[in-house]
Amino acid sequence: MTTLAGAGATDVGRVRSGRANQDSYFVGDDLFVVCDGVGGHQGGEVASSTAVEAIRDHFNQRTLVGLIEAVLYANRKVWEKAQGDPGLRGMGTTVCAAALVEEDGEARVAVVNVGDSRGYLMRQGELSQLTEDHSLVEQMYREGRLSREEADVHPQRSLITRALGLDPDVEVDSWQILPAAGDRYLLCSDGLTNEVSDDRIAATLRRLADPGEAARELVRMANEAGGRDNITVVVVDVVDDDHAAEEASAALAAEPGLESHTADAPAEPEPAPAPAGRARQRREPPARPRRFTWRVALFLLLLLGVLGGAIAAVGWYARGAWYVGVDDGEVAIFQGRPGGLLWWKPTLEARTGLALRDVPESRRDDLERGHETADRAAADRYVANLRDEARTFQRTTTTSTTAAAPTTTLPPP
Ligand code: MG
């Protein structure tokens, strides 16, 4: 069975301490919500807590559409409350929620957001932001009017362009993701992301296995970095995916025409079904979690280079040699090392027509072992020399025989 396990932490921050925390969150078995309220007096905290309760109470249909409807319901609840109380007029809240839902009988993790509270997915150690901030600064960045660096430190970066409670209707962004065991979702208010970089967030999520510890540590880091806003963090782990990822991998691998690397990433965020209400469906999937980064590629390339270099060096050493040896009783010239080296075997390059038995005995052992020479020319010279020696040897043998014969057969005078 697909199972999620999450934990959350919140803190008022350092600068706003003494005032109420306007963030609210909820951690259930299969529903997780973060809301960051805005509005004077008690507006912010009322808006965020109203929204969290409304979503919790109204999320009955365990589908993405059901989650979107719960958010739309929360929007109306906050809006109605704001209309009914002059002190709360103009209040609103962001929302980022994740839930375990079903789609065609299969489990999915649904993520929705409105405003600048973010949803992230950490898969195989790589953190990617799923949601897009609905903020003025983010819009200016998308329009090319600000650089990423300028947007990240812009004084007006908390001005949101979309929120629950400002209008009877609202546009909700949504995603559906196939759960894979080991996936970790992070939902957080901007009190975290304005203080702590994505890299540091990722490092903490990798380091701390317990979701509660990770959430508390992220809140602590945001406070340490300044704590200029309320900070809320919910960490949700996919502890069991009911073999969904494995089965998806197998299905992809079995499909012809698909490159093998696609089989490694079965749980790609997929487009959500048409949701009810004025919900906006994400057209483009979020950046796919990368497992094959350029660092890994560079490392592999270097490793291959070193291995290739070592093999080439051994090959050069093994093949860059010559020796004179024996092949089937005949003196022959070989390229390579006598007996071979690793998988480089010596090759027979030339037969000489010179029989081993014709070579002086003193040379035979050396030839049987293989007489190494610096190059082919040296091998040829060595053979020429052997040939000369062989002739002398034969002559000597013949001479001594013929010279000895008369001596022994000579009759006494
Ligand atoms: Mg905030």
Side-chain angles (χ1 to χ4, degrees):
M1 204 176 90
T2 305
T3 315
L4 306 182
T10 190
D11 192 77
V12 70
R14 290 202 165 155
V15 177
R16 293 193 179 182
S17 60
R19 282 190 279 165
N21 188 341
Q22 297 188 316
D23 288 358
S24 298
Y25 76 97
F26 173 72
V27 169
D29 289 337
D30 52 8
L31 175 68
F32 309 87
V33 187
V34 166
C35 286
D36 176 354
V38 288
H41 304 290
Q42 280 148 30
E45 55 198 281
V46 173
S48 67
S49 58
T50 302
V52 164
E53 280 165 32
I55 293 169
R56 188 194 61 201
D57 296 344
H58 207 76
F59 178 59
N60 306 314
Q61 188 202 336
R62 295 314 206 229
T63 62
L64 174 64
V65 171
L67 181 61
I68 292 169
E69 278 173 355
V71 171
L72 295 173
Y73 173 79
N75 176 64
R76 281 192 300 278
K77 277 283 180 199
V78 177
W79 186 74
E80 280 165 15
K81 229 175 219 185
Q83 300 313 300
D85 185 340
L88 298 176
R89 193 151 296 203
M91 72 174 180
T93 182
T94 70
V95 64
C96 184
L100 184 61
V101 298
E102 261 196 25
E103 191 67 40
D104 301 327
E106 282 185 22
R108 295 282 188 277
V109 174
V111 175
V112 294
N113 95 303
V114 175
D116 64 357
S117 294
R118 292 180 180 173
Y120 288 84
L121 167 61
M122 169 163 278
R123 174 166 288 175
Q124 283 159 346
E126 295 273 348
L127 187 69
S128 47
Q129 188 179 332
L130 293 170
T131 58
E132 197 173 79
D133 294 351
H134 306 130
S135 68
L136 188 66
V137 163
E138 197 59 30
Q139 195 175 315
M140 285 164 75
Y141 164 69
R142 281 199 297 274
E143 288 165 1
R145 289 153 65 196
L146 286 177
S147 70
R148 182 74 268 164
E149 292 70 30
E150 287 170 327
D152 285 346
V153 297
H154 199 281
Q156 255 132 49
R157 63 184 182 277
S158 58
L159 272 183
I160 50 177
T161 50
R162 249 197 260 174
L164 301 187
L166 303 181
D167 195 84
D169 211 350
V170 72
E171 206 177 342
V172 181
D173 287 0
S174 65
W175 293 262
Q176 257 196 136
I177 298 142
L178 197 64
D183 281 358
R184 175 167 261 194
Y185 290 85
L186 166 70
L187 313 179
C188 60
S189 63
D190 64 340
L192 173 69
T193 50
N194 282 338
E195 303 289 8
V196 185
S197 71
D198 283 9
D199 282 350
R200 292 187 64 213
I201 292 174
T204 303
L205 289 175
R206 277 191 291 264
R207 185 164 58 85
L208 298 173
D210 181 74
E213 271 177 35
R216 286 190 294 275
E217 174 63 8
L218 288 172
V219 167
R220 191 198 63 76
M221 286 162 71
N223 266 325
E224 190 185 61
R228 275 154 284 212
D229 193 1
N230 308 143
I231 310 141
T232 302
V233 177
V234 169
V235 176
V236 183
D237 288 338
V238 177
V239 291
D240 185 356
D241 66 4
D242 202 19
H243 307 291
E246 267 170 52
E247 281 163 20
S249 284
L252 267 180
E255 220 166 299
L258 275 170
E259 288 174 30
S260 59
H261 71 261
T262 57
D264 293 340
E268 185 110 339
E270 56 182 83
R278 236 183 88 204
R280 186 165 75 110
Q281 199 179 322
R282 303 289 311 162
R283 296 279 176 262
E284 73 283 13
R288 171 195 191 148
R290 289 166 305 147
R291 66 198 318 229
F292 197 76
T293 61
W294 65 268
R295 279 193 198 85
V296 174
L298 189 67
F299 172 77
L300 285 176
L301 213 63
L302 282 172
L303 191 70
L304 280 178
V306 169
L307 277 176
I311 289 169
V314 174
W316 175 84
Y317 174 76
R319 295 291 302 158
W322 293 83
Y323 71 94
V324 180
V326 181
D327 181 64
D328 202 17
E330 184 182 347
V331 175
I333 297 174
F334 296 85
Q335 190 176 9
R337 300 277 164 189
L341 189 68
L342 296 178
W343 49 88
W344 285 278
K345 299 294 168 220
T347 51
L348 176 65
E349 293 298 317
R351 292 174 166 279
T352 61
L354 179 62
L356 183 65
R357 63 171 186 278
D358 295 336
V359 173
E361 211 167 344
S362 60
R363 295 286 195 192
R364 288 180 200 165
D365 274 358
D366 187 32
L367 283 169
E368 299 269 21
R369 278 194 303 270
H371 177 86
E372 294 193 58
T373 60
D375 50 28
R376 170 69 195 258
D380 285 335
R381 280 197 300 278
Y382 184 79
V383 170
N385 191 44
L386 274 182
R387 236 185 262 283
D388 285 347
E389 281 184 350
R391 272 195 289 272
T392 317
F393 171 68
Q394 280 165 348
R395 211 162 34 240
T396 314
T397 316
T398 316
T399 311
S400 58
T401 313
T402 47
T407 320
T408 48
T409 54
L410 211 68

